[in-house]
Amino acid sequence: MTSTTTPVRARALRGALRTVGRIASTIWSNPRARIGVVLLAIFILAATFAPWLAPYGASQDGFERSAGGSAAHWLGTTAAGEDVLSQIIWGARVSVFVGFAAGAIATVIAVLIGLSWGYSRGFGGEVVGFIVNLFLVIPGLPLMIVIASYLQNGGIAMIIAVIVVTGWAWGARVLRSQTQTLRSRDFVTAARFAGDSSFRIIFREILPNMTSLITGAFFGAATAAILAEAGLEFLGLGDPTTVSWGTMLFWAQNSNALLTGQWLLLFAPGLCIALLATSLTLINFGVDGISNPRLREGKGR
Amino acid sequence: MTTNTTPGQVDEQPILRVENLTVEYRSEGFEPVAAVKNVSFTLRRGEFIGLVGESGSGKSTLGFALTRLAKPPATIVDGKILFHGSDIRTLDAEELRKQRRGGFAMVLQSGMNALNPVRTIRKHFHDIFRAHGHVEPGSFNARASELVRKVELPETVLDRFPGELSGGMRQRVSIALALSLEPELLVFDEPTTALDVLVQHAVMDTIRQLQASEGFTAILISHDLGIVLESTERVLVMHDGVVVEDGPSHQILDDPQAEYTRMLLSHYADPRAEEIHIPGFSTRGRSADAARAERATTSPRSDARAARRADASIVVEGASKVYAPPRRGEKPVVAVDNVSFTLAPGESLALVGQSGSGKSTIARLVTGAEKPSSGLVRFGDSNLASLRRRELRDLRKNVQMVFQDPYAALNPLHTVEYTLMRPILNFTERRGEAARERMLELLETVGLTPAETFAAKLPHQLSGGQRQRVVIARALASDPQVLVADEPVSMLDVSLRAGVLGLLEDLREQWGVSMLYITHDLLSARLVTDRMMVLNAGRVVESGPTADVLRNPSDEYTIRLLDAVPNPARAREGR
Amino acid sequence: MTYALRKLGMLLLTLWAAVTLNFFLPRLMPGSPADAAIAKLSQNGPVSAATRAAIEAQLGVPGGNLLEQYVHYLQQVVTLDFGVSFTFYPEKVSDLVLTALPYTVVLVGIVTVLAFVIGTLIGVLAAWKRGTWMDTLPTLGGSFLSAFPYFWIALLLLFFAGYVGHLFPTSGASSPTAVPEFSLSFIGDLIYHAALPALTILITSLGGWILGMRNAMINTLGDDYVTFAEANGLRGRTVALKYAARNAILPNLTGFGLALGGVVGGSILVEQVYGYPGIGYLLYNAVVNQDYPLMQALFLMITVSVLIANFLVDILYGVLDPRTRR
């Protein structure tokens, strides 16, 4: 071997894989988290294979209006004569996509701000801290509603943007305090003595030690995003022509499904939202066990 | 001591009899690990015994089992613990709870965290009195006052919250709380380990006096054979879950039977002695001290060292460091007060003092991590206070640091190879295979062979001593002129200390690096340094050649530090 | 005392920041919210110069002097003068807000405190009985409940308890025939109408408190002072409540402050479903009708309420933790 860069890089990759493997196996070892993983997998599969799984198109109408469940339409039809089951399956796409996209973007922002805020000292840090705390205490949903109201019918991209604006602060705070803890650890000082740059120290020494917290922040942000997306669309602040669980409920309420007694139309989309959000919460039970051994399964007393 | 410990006295029922006790750590998906293996011993009323072992010996696990505080995953799998003849394993929860008064009690290692931060000390006492009803409600306060006085605290602590007390005071409160149970058997689990040297000494004195005056039976668990031999009449030595020796203290001191006990004992010595014998070290008498001074000036065999010997001094002139007050309205903290010294090339200087003496602040000043509030710190020609980022990097190339805690100083996610390659790539011109060769060479230098095997390991696969060797190797990677070693062996087991100290000493001789050795441990300072400075509250109270300072201390603080050194040999004189 | 003063200073600073955010929000948005608002208002009749100035100060005017507008805006905030609503023309925005505010504050306030207390107690029990059904049931139930969308629970309760079961009224805060007075029958009527919204908020916010307290308490149960308390033979109840739970409530209380915003947000959806005439329902109407002046004023009011509630929680924290007193 003539150069060490390749083996070093290969080792780094192996190290990263090992970390991912460790997280995955710890999550899987927690029975609750295992249920969450299975649930989430079902939703992801449904979203991915919607064209094959759904009996009809998402906006395909012309069926009997406001019908109850039948062999042809298991969950009945909407007031516009669309198949409810098909809409549920297609709707999974929006929730899963918004959850993961908004969760991921919010987490990236949280990581960047949390790490730099935690690593740097001085007045700048205080100002960032004040802004983060401001975003933490300002009620998120009302802020989203106000912003979404100005950006009329912006569609899914707008909804993701609005969720990210209000959703990054929590993760930033958690990651910041962990960064501060790690920053004062000897191995970080040692890396400085070994001549490493701040950039390298943050990304090679500190960041890899926070993978479980970051994973937790991601699932937390994704859960919040799924619920917020549904809430905004329920209020009619998204694009009401997209088929999603939130808009289904919006139309259900607007078409007086309550009065007509079509409870399935109300029940099914909401249950899906709840189950998807629950699956992420359950996975986070397993993630909690990684970053906090005291929370691992088993009898404490 | 009033108790009669003559062997063969059979009429008295032993207060505690442990029979074939085995404790395992059991967690799902893992093989059970036995921490205590088939241990048997008996304890007579009024006895004060020591339980000694290094980390992982099972001594604390045993202590927790004896007081039925062991929690999962620790599980008693076999054996009996007979307290007054009845097996405490069979007690149900309420019987066990009642038994805590007048039965067995425990003082925890981390006594500073053993108190509820949101309750006053007085309420802690009241909680216990109320739980057992052994004190009349009318005399709660009187009894609490009496108890805190017994542990030599003022009554005013009763109305304080734990956070307002120092570590030593909190540990004393813990002892008073345990005493309030009027226990027959009291287990002390490393009661002074987390405390400062002088405080340790004082707390141990209190424990000894209380044991004599209150007449409880006591077990002192400690990693420090010196402390145990000084305090107790009988010692159990544990190694790897097994009691390897059980005998009267004086016998263990004079005629240890087990190989392991002999090895532990060999690492103790009086730093004041004329000559010191520690395994791995040649005699440290006057002649040796002179010889090393000579070596420092003559040319060493420098084949291992790539570049030059140390040629620049660290000069500290009238340096002070003042920190902003911790809370508004309080006085600023003077951590270092007008300290001056020179660390000549190739010299080894000890900075000695307890925590808060300013010794670690001085380490931060000479490594450029902090700037002095006033005065000057120089390395060669450069003033450390005016260094830019770039120059600070150059300083780091020459002034490297060996950290105290080998478990915290290595990133758990990086292999030894990654850790050592960083300074090589950052500070030297070596790249590729040459850099890797250098990395392996460093591992060999610190005695981690075969180097290829160690290079691939992660920190958790190494022992404490091996980790500290990696830390030292990293410090050497940039071929520095000065090593600042901050308590490099205080976190290591006694048996591993000599090895690491010997390594530092060899490096100094072979590589010609100068060393600033920061410690509270006078014996280790005697072993590896030429000169010594004693610091108290930021000020230098005494300095001179190490052996001279230790053998003829003039300052009262130095004398107190020397008196606090646990010394098995002194136990014999006191008895 | 210095702790309380510091928190008060922080409150004032945060209030100022929130007010300023409220000022910039409409100005950062594409298009001109002010023009849109004035255009809407003019449908109700001619818009006076004073009203136009008030709206412009609140929502911004392109090319205007920002500092001047900011000063004018601060004056508006201090005098609670937010102009006229065109949704409820010619009602003044401030009157609308002040009428709606008590409904929400009482409903959300009482229910949140109730949920926190009940959730915390269940969390304590779950952690103390860890590994038994008394732990599994509330933690699994709690995580499921906290994942429920507020409005969905609201819809289900409304459907089953309102439309199908006829147990509770389906809309409003009081019966149309009820006369507002300080009488038992009127208060009873209010409670009857608030029952479903309250139940909804209770169900959905309970899970978070249960999980938060359980995890915090599992942490404190591993602390040394709990082990030592057990070693000293204190009664189980003393150890659980005065040692483990008493310390675990501190981090949970911090979480309470931060979660409050979430509850207030959720209550908007709940009020919308039940047509409950609080701040949330008003905000929904403002949003649907793009009544920006009303919307801005409501958002400001919600933010200020949450900030003040947070301040009160901080003060309570200071009372409970002796370490803040030093």
Side-chain angles (χ1 to χ4, degrees):
Chain A
M1 135 180 74
T2 50
S3 149
T4 58
T5 44
T6 331
V8 164
R9 198 162 292 158
R11 272 182 204 109
L13 185 68
R14 224 176 300 150
L17 284 178
R18 205 166 33 223
T19 312
V20 171
R22 187 173 51 90
I23 290 180
S25 78
T26 315
I27 291 175
W28 190 252
S29 73
N30 180 319
R32 287 173 203 176
R34 216 177 301 159
I35 299 173
V37 171
V38 172
L39 262 178
L40 180 63
I42 292 173
F43 280 114
I44 291 178
L45 287 177
T48 316
F49 298 107
W52 293 276
L53 291 173
Y56 308 98
S59 312
Q60 187 182 343
D61 50 11
F63 304 112
E64 187 192 347
R65 287 161 194 259
S66 302
S70 66
H73 305 285
W74 291 1
L75 298 179
T77 57
T78 67
E82 300 141 323
D83 180 51
V84 174
L85 178 64
S86 301
Q87 291 208 327
I88 291 276
I89 295 174
W90 283 97
R93 293 192 153 190
V94 176
S95 280
V96 170
F97 176 72
V98 170
F100 277 75
I105 299 171
T107 307
V108 168
I109 296 176
V111 166
L112 291 177
I113 292 185
L115 260 72
S116 50
W117 175 32
Y119 191 76
S120 64
R121 300 162 202 246
F123 185 69
E126 301 266 323
V127 174
V128 176
F130 180 75
I131 293 169
V132 172
N133 278 329
L134 187 66
F135 272 91
L136 271 178
V137 290
I138 285 186
L141 192 66
L143 181 58
M144 289 185 219
I145 291 174
V146 167
I147 298 178
S149 159
Y150 284 124
L151 312 169
Q152 285 292 317
N153 298 336
I156 287 175
M158 182 272 291
I159 289 200
I160 291 177
V162 168
I163 292 173
V164 167
V165 164
T166 57
W168 59 274
W170 174 256
R173 200 171 103 132
V174 173
L175 295 175
R176 180 249 190 169
S177 69
Q178 181 67 7
T179 306
Q180 281 184 319
T181 313
L182 290 172
R183 180 189 64 187
S184 57
R185 292 275 282 281
D186 280 349
F187 68 78
V188 172
T189 317
R192 227 172 280 140
F193 269 88
D196 280 344
S197 62
S198 294
F199 188 81
R200 195 183 175 95
I201 290 175
I202 291 178
F203 285 98
R204 292 306 298 276
E205 304 290 333
I206 294 180
L207 186 67
N209 276 295
M210 304 206 298
T211 35
S212 62
L213 273 186
I214 293 170
T215 316
F218 166 73
F219 283 120
T223 313
I226 288 164
L227 292 175
E229 177 253 344
L232 288 176
E233 291 191 327
F234 174 69
L235 289 179
L237 288 169
D239 176 0
T241 57
T242 11
V243 173
S244 74
W245 297 334
T247 49
M248 285 176 77
L249 286 165
F250 169 74
W251 288 117
Q253 206 206 8
N254 276 20
S255 62
N256 288 321
L258 289 171
L259 285 173
T260 57
Q262 257 197 303
W263 66 276
L264 265 177
L265 194 51
L266 293 175
F267 191 75
L271 185 69
C272 287
I273 298 167
L275 284 178
L276 180 58
T278 307
S279 75
L280 299 180
T281 315
L282 289 176
I283 293 175
N284 245 353
F285 269 110
V287 179
D288 277 347
I290 303 172
S291 37
N292 187 347
R294 281 182 186 177
L295 290 179
R296 284 201 192 134
E297 283 303 298
K299 277 189 147 187
R301 315 187 47 75
Chain B
M1 211 111 316
T2 49
T3 342
N4 187 349
T5 57
T6 321
Q9 203 175 1
V10 282
D11 51 21
E12 200 186 336
Q13 171 91 2
I15 186 167
L16 181 75
R17 184 199 292 277
V18 177
E19 290 175 4
N20 306 338
L21 185 68
T22 299
V23 185
E24 285 181 355
Y25 281 87
R26 296 185 154 175
S27 32
E28 227 172 293
F30 293 95
E31 281 288 297
V33 184
V36 175
K37 299 170 190 162
N38 203 19
V39 165
S40 304
F41 67 94
T42 57
L43 194 56
R44 277 180 221 89
R45 182 182 298 281
E47 245 188 325
F48 190 0
I49 74 160
L51 186 56
V52 162
E54 294 185 300
S55 52
S57 63
K59 58 185 189 306
S60 286
T61 310
L62 178 57
F64 275 83
L66 294 182
T67 45
R68 272 240 2 220
L69 286 170
K71 279 185 194 171
T75 324
I76 298 178
V77 289
D78 196 20
K80 285 181 180 161
I81 304 168
L82 303 168
F83 187 69
H84 284 306
S86 63
D87 194 346
I88 64 166
R89 286 183 62 192
T90 60
L91 296 178
D92 70 26
E94 185 57 21
E95 284 169 345
L96 178 68
R97 192 189 74 74
K98 288 204 174 115
Q99 142 78 45
R100 299 281 182 199
R101 195 203 73 79
F104 39 83
M106 185 148 180
V107 174
L108 302 177
Q109 169 168 14
S110 39
M112 23 247 303
N113 305 326
L115 303 175
N116 185 345
V118 299
R119 272 178 110 59
T120 60
I121 306 301
R122 189 185 300 280
K123 282 190 180 160
H124 281 84
F125 281 103
H126 290 193
D127 286 342
I128 292 181
F129 298 154
R130 222 169 272 136
H132 297 290
H134 61 299
V135 175
E136 288 296 314
S139 47
F140 275 13
N141 285 331
R143 179 74 181 136
S145 303
E146 187 188 341
L147 284 160
V148 294
R149 278 199 307 270
K150 270 192 187 164
V151 293
E152 291 158 44
L153 288 174
E155 280 172 44
T156 47
V157 300
L158 284 174
D159 292 311
R160 298 290 181 82
F161 288 97
E164 300 170 318
L165 305 178
S166 71
M169 289 164 98
R170 273 181 270 173
Q171 188 61 290
R172 282 171 187 274
V173 170
S174 296
I175 295 171
L177 287 168
L179 277 182
S180 76
L181 295 161
E182 297 157 16
E184 282 190 83
L185 171 64
L186 193 42
V187 179
F188 296 92
D189 184 16
E190 303 262 15
T192 61
T193 307
L195 305 175
D196 242 327
V197 219
L198 292 179
V199 183
Q200 272 188 11
H201 194 58
V203 170
M204 271 319 298
D205 275 347
T206 307
I207 291 176
R208 272 190 291 264
Q209 284 160 17
L210 284 171
Q211 197 272 331
S213 63
E214 307 288 306
F216 52 80
T217 313
I219 300 178
L220 173 65
I221 299 172
S222 176
H223 66 282
D224 193 332
L225 185 57
I227 289 184
V228 167
L229 283 173
E230 256 183 2
S231 313
T232 63
E233 302 142 4
R234 189 181 132 203
V235 174
L236 269 62
V237 182
M238 272 188 93
H239 178 52
D240 201 18
V242 177
V243 173
V244 294
E245 182 143 10
D246 175 1
S249 303
H250 62 86
Q251 186 194 314
I252 285 188
L253 192 55
D254 293 333
D255 184 20
Q257 301 298 309
E259 185 61 35
Y260 183 73
T261 317
R262 278 200 288 275
M263 187 278 295
L264 284 182
L265 273 172
S266 69
H267 289 279
Y268 285 89
D270 186 347
R272 284 172 287 202
E274 187 171 346
E275 295 201 342
I276 291 176
H277 305 270
I278 296 283
F281 279 86
S282 47
T283 41
R284 264 293 124 81
R286 281 218 164 269
S287 51
D289 286 327
R292 74 208 306 268
E294 193 182 313
R295 267 202 309 276
T297 51
T298 56
S299 178
R301 41 179 242 266
S302 57
D303 43 324
R305 186 175 171 81
R308 68 272 169 262
R309 333 178 9 85
D311 50 15
S313 310
I314 283 188
V315 179
V316 177
E317 283 172 19
S320 297
K321 180 72 191 177
V322 182
Y323 291 107
R327 264 170 250 121
R328 209 182 300 257
E330 291 182 11
K331 281 183 191 160
V333 180
V334 183
V336 173
D337 189 2
N338 194 21
V339 167
S340 304
F341 65 89
T342 302
L343 179 66
E347 192 190 20
S348 173
L349 171 67
L351 285 183
V352 171
Q354 56 175 350
S355 66
S357 63
K359 57 189 196 304
S360 293
T361 309
I362 293 181
R364 283 199 291 276
L365 292 179
V366 300
T367 52
E370 287 194 47
K371 295 181 166 114
S373 311
S374 64
L376 198 63
V377 180
R378 281 192 294 129
F379 173 69
D381 299 329
S382 57
N383 177 358
L384 265 52
S386 60
L387 290 185
R388 290 167 212 286
R389 193 179 287 253
R390 185 90 229 148
E391 296 161 321
L392 190 62
R393 234 175 96 101
D394 289 343
L395 175 77
R396 296 258 159 87
K397 178 172 162 33
N398 284 313
V399 181
Q400 276 288 331
M401 181 108 187
V402 176
F403 294 87
Q404 173 174 18
D405 183 355
Y407 291 86
L410 295 176
N411 190 329
L413 300 176
H414 291 320
T415 59
V416 169
E417 171 166 356
Y418 176 91
T419 302
L420 294 184
M421 289 298 275
R422 294 313 306 158
I424 296 174
L425 294 174
N426 284 332
F427 289 128
T428 72
E429 300 301 317
R430 293 186 180 80
R431 290 294 176 273
E433 197 54 26
R436 211 177 125 72
E437 252 165 46
R438 171 69 169 163
M439 184 268 301
L440 297 173
E441 201 178 285
L442 285 167
L443 282 173
E444 274 162 25
T445 307
V446 297
L448 293 178
T449 49
E452 281 284 359
T453 316
F454 278 101
K457 291 200 178 201
L458 285 166
H460 72 86
Q461 297 167 311
L462 302 174
S463 72
Q466 289 170 339
R467 286 175 192 222
Q468 197 59 306
R469 284 169 192 268
V470 174
V471 171
I472 293 171
R474 174 173 57 193
L476 293 172
S478 65
D479 196 15
Q481 303 196 29
V482 181
L483 279 187
V484 177
D486 187 359
E487 304 261 19
V489 295
S490 69
M491 307 288 280
L492 299 180
D493 275 331
V494 177
S495 56
L496 298 172
R497 288 183 186 177
V500 172
L501 289 174
L503 172 63
L504 285 174
E505 179 73 354
D506 288 348
L507 292 172
R508 218 165 61 74
E509 285 176 7
Q510 292 175 18
W511 291 45
V513 286
S514 28
M515 179 162 74
L516 191 61
Y517 183 77
I518 295 164
T519 191
H520 68 273
D521 175 10
L522 299 173
L523 178 62
S524 67
R526 174 79 190 270
L527 291 175
V528 296
T529 62
D530 314 316
R531 279 201 306 133
M532 167 179 281
M533 277 170 43
V534 182
L535 285 161
N536 184 15
R539 243 175 298 214
V540 179
V541 293
E542 190 157 359
S543 67
T546 303
D548 288 356
V549 171
L550 291 177
R551 289 175 56 75
N552 305 301
S554 56
D555 189 83
E556 192 249 350
Y557 180 74
T558 318
I559 296 170
R560 278 171 59 208
L561 281 179
L562 276 164
D563 283 342
V565 177
N567 181 359
R570 220 174 39 226
R572 191 183 308 148
E573 296 154 22
R575 215 160 282 274
Chain C
M1 203 54 225
T2 49
Y3 170 83
L5 283 177
R6 211 172 58 236
K7 287 291 170 192
L8 185 66
M10 205 61 199
L11 171 68
L12 295 175
L13 197 62
T14 320
L15 279 177
W16 167 79
V19 166
T20 306
L21 176 77
N22 211 35
F23 171 76
F24 280 108
L25 208 51
R27 286 166 175 79
L28 289 172
M29 293 300 149
S32 170
D35 284 350
I38 291 166
K40 283 233 172 192
L41 196 54
S42 60
Q43 292 166 4
N44 293 312
V47 180
S48 74
T51 311
R52 175 181 292 270
I55 288 175
E56 283 180 352
Q58 198 179 7
L59 300 176
V61 55
N65 182 336
L66 215 54
L67 186 70
E68 225 169 75
Q69 290 180 37
Y70 186 57
V71 172
H72 191 166
Y73 168 77
L74 286 182
Q75 283 171 356
Q76 280 190 324
V77 170
V78 172
T79 55
L80 290 179
D81 169 22
F82 299 105
V84 203
S85 158
F86 49 76
T87 316
F88 302 95
Y89 191 82
E91 292 257 25
K92 278 168 73 183
V93 167
S94 49
D95 290 344
L96 286 167
V97 173
L98 291 178
T99 318
L101 193 62
Y103 286 107
T104 303
V105 168
V106 173
L107 175 72
V108 175
I110 292 179
V111 175
T112 305
V113 171
L114 204 65
F116 180 75
V117 171
I118 297 174
T120 301
L121 288 176
I122 296 177
V124 167
L125 195 70
W128 187 247
K129 302 281 180 191
R130 192 177 181 192
T132 68
W133 66 269
M134 276 194 268
D135 175 24
T136 316
L137 190 72
T139 40
L140 273 184
S143 45
F144 199 49
L145 284 185
S146 63
F148 282 179
Y150 276 86
F151 55 92
W152 185 54
I153 296 290
L155 284 172
L156 288 185
L157 280 178
L158 182 61
F159 182 71
F160 289 109
Y163 286 99
V164 178
H166 301 292
L167 300 171
F168 290 98
T170 55
S171 138
S174 56
S175 307
T177 53
V179 187
E181 55 179 8
F182 195 77
S183 69
L184 267 182
S185 70
F186 182 67
I187 291 173
D189 189 53
L190 284 177
I191 293 176
Y192 185 50
H193 278 79
L196 282 184
L199 193 59
T200 309
I201 300 175
L202 189 70
I203 288 175
T204 38
S205 59
L206 199 59
W209 309 133
I210 295 178
L211 296 182
M213 187 62 187
R214 172 188 178 266
N215 287 358
M217 174 130 159
I218 281 175
N219 267 326
T220 55
L221 279 174
D223 279 344
D224 285 322
Y225 52 81
V226 172
T227 311
F228 192 51
E230 282 176 353
N232 289 341
L234 300 197
R235 284 178 210 282
R237 225 176 44 148
T238 317
V239 177
L241 296 180
K242 290 183 177 169
Y243 284 71
R246 177 66 174 73
N247 280 284
I249 204 157
L250 295 172
N252 210 34
L253 205 56
T254 313
F256 177 82
L258 295 176
L260 210 57
V263 180
V264 170
S267 73
I268 292 174
L269 296 163
V270 172
E271 288 183 5
Q272 192 267 340
V273 171
Y274 290 108
Y276 194 79
I279 291 284
Y281 188 56
L282 201 54
L283 181 62
Y284 172 73
N285 278 309
V287 164
V288 168
N289 297 303
Q290 288 177 296
D291 189 346
Y292 294 138
L294 182 58
M295 189 175 80
Q296 283 296 129
L298 283 167
F299 178 60
L300 185 67
M301 196 50 75
I302 293 171
T303 311
V304 168
S305 314
V306 170
L307 291 183
I308 290 175
N310 257 299
F311 170 71
L312 295 177
V313 171
D314 277 343
I315 295 300
L316 181 62
Y317 188 102
V319 172
L320 288 178
D321 190 348
R323 283 163 290 195
T324 60
R325 272 173 239 160
R326 274 178 286 145

